Amino acid sequence: PGEGPLAHGVVELAGLDPRDDLAGRTHLPQLAALVAGARLVVCGDTGVAHLATAFRTPSVLLFGPTPPARWGPPDRAEHRVLWAGRSGDPHGGEPHPGLLEISADQAVEAAGKALTLHA
């Protein structure tokens, strides 16, 4: 729920219908079902990333302070990992500088490749 305003802003910037914003409105079984049925998941190194890995849902995973070799998905074609190569505190209160080095263009390019591969 604390990330609701951030999610609302993303929905607005993406031009989506506000009803499509599910932030704070899904329980774990609903979230798991959404990830399992998604065409592509783009997220940080979070529980959602682990769900995508478990369901083999194509994903673009953004890693910040924790190296993907430690907590990342298995080396499978459906998962694309983006990491700037900088380690740090995974419990920091602000986004890790390495995470912020990953550009939107890089994420969009990786998403396009993932969608093409699994079309």
Side-chain angles (χ1 to χ4, degrees), residues 60 62 82-84 98-110:
V60 175
L62 312 174
L82 300 177
W83 184 52
L99 181 61
L100 298 177
E101 289 175 16
I102 300 170
S103 72
D105 287 342
Q106 289 173 298
V108 168
E109 180 181 345

Side-chain angles (χ1 to χ4, degrees), residues 22-35 51:
L22 301 178
R25 298 190 299 141
T26 55
H27 297 286
L28 187 55
Q30 295 165 310
L31 177 62
L34 286 169
V35 171
L51 286 171

Side-chain angles (χ1 to χ4, degrees), residues 15 20 56 59 77 84 90 100:
D20 292 333
R56 295 190 85 150
S59 62
L100 298 177

Side-chain angles (χ1 to χ4, degrees), residues 55-84:
F55 288 117
R56 295 190 85 150
T57 301
S59 62
V60 175
L61 308 176
L62 312 174
F63 277 74
T66 305
R70 182 168 187 189
W71 296 112
D75 187 17
R76 291 190 229 152
E78 66 263 21
H79 306 300
R80 309 226 172 227
V81 173
L82 300 177
W83 184 52

